């Protein structure tokens, strides 16, 4: 972070709100903004179409995948036992290792050779309850119109003590797949939205929700630059006002916890 940026952050943190508002009004009145209005150099970003229309896949690893894979790597110990993933088993294979005893893949429609289960998650009553030790649910929630129903089924399908590893876009271009499937893309998720949704659909679960990204990473991601075109420091700087990817880890309450709570209530 540059010295000027550090000074701005320090001022935001320590100056009283009234004084900050006065400074902003003076800046606007006398044209003291920095960079000055009209002086910003857009460079390669001065265009109305993205540099890569396919999330940067043609340039290197996409920026959102950097955050997704960092999250999964940090929670690789959760990928164990009977594990389920959407669409294919790429991340189970990459991060699960020998702890995984059985791999399942869920797909929306018939025809996926990797799929062991076929279901619409918002209408998945036929899928077994208490079946999975881990469910990897990356970049899928925004494509399901009835998110609440899908999340309730994910909770039901996890074993007590099982873990949901979820990621979803906060900031992104629309991922169109015309001619490949009938999926839509309905939502963008915020940390507050994910927390509220999990509180409702994963009752009494242990939940951790985080966001990843900053303004530079967000602009670069929208233009389709790859993660290789930014430095690790630029990618890892987290600004909660720029949520590129929202991640959540939710642990379904174990039966032992329920029994312990019931026992404590009777004592």
């Amino acid at each position: 972070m540059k010295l000027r940026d550090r000074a701005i952050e320090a001022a935001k943190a320590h100056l009283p709100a009234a004084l900050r508002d006065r400074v902003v009004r003076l800046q606007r009145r006398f044209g003291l903004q920095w960079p000055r209005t009209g002086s910003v150099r857009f460079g390669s970003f001065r265009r109305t179409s993205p540099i890569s229309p396919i999330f940067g896949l043609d340039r290197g690893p996409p920026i959102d995948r950097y955050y997704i894979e960092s999250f999964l790597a940090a929670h690789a110990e959760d990928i164990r036992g009977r594990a389920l993933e959407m669409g294919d088993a790429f991340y189970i294979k990459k991060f699960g290792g020998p702890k995984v005893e059985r791999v399942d893949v869920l797909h929306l429609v018939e025809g996926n050779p990797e799929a062991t289960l076929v279901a619409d998650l918002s209408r998945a009553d036929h899928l077994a309850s208490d079946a999975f030790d881990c469910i990897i649910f990356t970049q899928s929630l925004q494509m399901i119109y009835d998110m609440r129903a899908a999340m309730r089924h994910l909770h039901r399908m996890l074993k007590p003590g099982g873990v949901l590893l979820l990621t979803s876009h906060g900031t992104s271009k629309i991922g169109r797949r015309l001619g490949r499937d009938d999926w839509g893309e309905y939502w963008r998720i915020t940390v507050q939205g994910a927390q509220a949704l999990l509180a409702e659909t994963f009752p009494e679960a242990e939940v951790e929700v985080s966001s990843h990204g900053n303004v530079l990473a967000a602009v670069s991601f929208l233009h389709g630059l790859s993660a290789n075109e930014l430095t690790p420091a630029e990618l890892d700087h987290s600004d909660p006002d720029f949520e590129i990817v929202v991640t959540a880890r939710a642990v379904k309450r174990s039966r032992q916890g329920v029994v312990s709570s019931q026992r404590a209530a009777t004592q």
Side-chain angles (χ1 to χ4, degrees):
M1 185 182 293
K2 294 180 179 179
L3 180 60
R4 177 177 57 83
D5 295 329
R6 288 200 294 269
I8 291 172
E9 291 299 319
K12 288 180 180 178
H14 299 293
L15 289 179
L19 182 55
R20 293 202 307 269
D21 291 342
R22 185 181 179 188
V23 169
V24 170
R25 288 195 299 271
L26 288 172
Q27 285 178 324
R28 291 173 178 171
R29 181 178 177 183
F30 295 106
L32 300 176
Q33 299 92 345
W34 185 262
R36 296 185 304 277
T37 301
S39 68
V40 174
R41 297 180 179 180
F42 287 88
S44 299
F45 288 159
R46 188 152 208 152
R47 49 188 296 156
T48 57
S49 59
I51 291 167
S52 167
I54 54 172
F55 298 95
L57 284 164
D58 52 343
R59 302 175 67 86
I63 288 171
D64 63 339
R65 295 290 153 178
Y66 175 86
Y67 297 124
I68 294 163
E69 296 197 4
S70 296
F71 167 71
L72 293 176
H75 297 291
E77 289 298 317
D78 292 326
I79 306 172
R80 53 183 171 76
R82 186 179 180 188
L84 174 69
E85 190 170 346
M86 309 298 121
D88 57 46
F90 180 81
Y91 285 136
I92 293 176
K93 294 173 182 176
K94 183 167 185 175
F95 296 106
K99 303 181 301 297
V100 175
E101 299 168 2
R102 174 175 169 180
V103 175
D104 281 286
V105 171
L106 175 65
H107 199 71
L108 176 65
V109 295
E110 298 280 358
N112 181 345
E114 289 194 56
T116 60
L117 302 169
V118 176
D120 176 346
L121 260 182
S122 61
R123 297 190 295 269
D125 299 285
H126 61 289
L127 298 182
S129 299
D130 300 337
F132 299 99
D133 297 286
C134 179
I135 298 177
I136 297 179
F137 192 54
T138 56
Q139 307 307 99
S140 300
L141 186 61
Q142 69 266 20
M143 297 180 179
I144 300 174
Y145 182 75
D146 192 347
M147 291 190 297
R148 288 184 174 89
M151 293 295 289
R152 284 193 292 267
H153 280 298
L154 289 171
H155 178 268
R156 179 183 60 78
M157 291 159 60
L158 276 174
K159 294 179 182 178
V163 181
L164 172 70
L165 299 176
L166 178 152
T167 74
S168 190
H169 275 149
T171 302
S172 173
K173 71 181 287 293
I174 296 296
R176 303 190 188 280
R177 295 166 59 98
L178 299 178
R180 294 182 58 187
D181 52 47
D182 296 324
W183 297 351
E185 192 163 1
Y186 301 101
W187 312 109
R188 287 291 176 262
I189 311 300
T190 65
V191 164
Q192 288 179 305
Q195 288 170 334
L197 183 63
L198 284 161
E200 176 184 335
T201 58
F202 271 63
E204 300 181 326
E206 176 189 330
V207 175
E208 304 167 15
V209 181
S210 301
S211 69
H212 309 265
N214 57 71
V215 66
L216 173 62
V219 170
S220 300
F221 179 50
L222 290 174
H223 262 290
L225 299 190
S226 78
N228 292 341
E229 295 175 274
L230 299 180
T231 68
E234 289 169 337
L235 289 164
D236 292 337
H237 175 70
S238 181
D239 184 337
D241 289 338
F242 295 90
E243 301 176 344
I244 297 176
V245 171
V246 173
T247 60
R249 177 183 182 268
V251 183
K252 183 175 179 178
R253 193 179 187 195
S254 67
R255 289 194 182 96
Q256 182 179 359
V258 173
V259 171
S260 298
S261 297
Q262 291 173 342
R263 185 180 298 129
T266 59
Q267 291 176 348

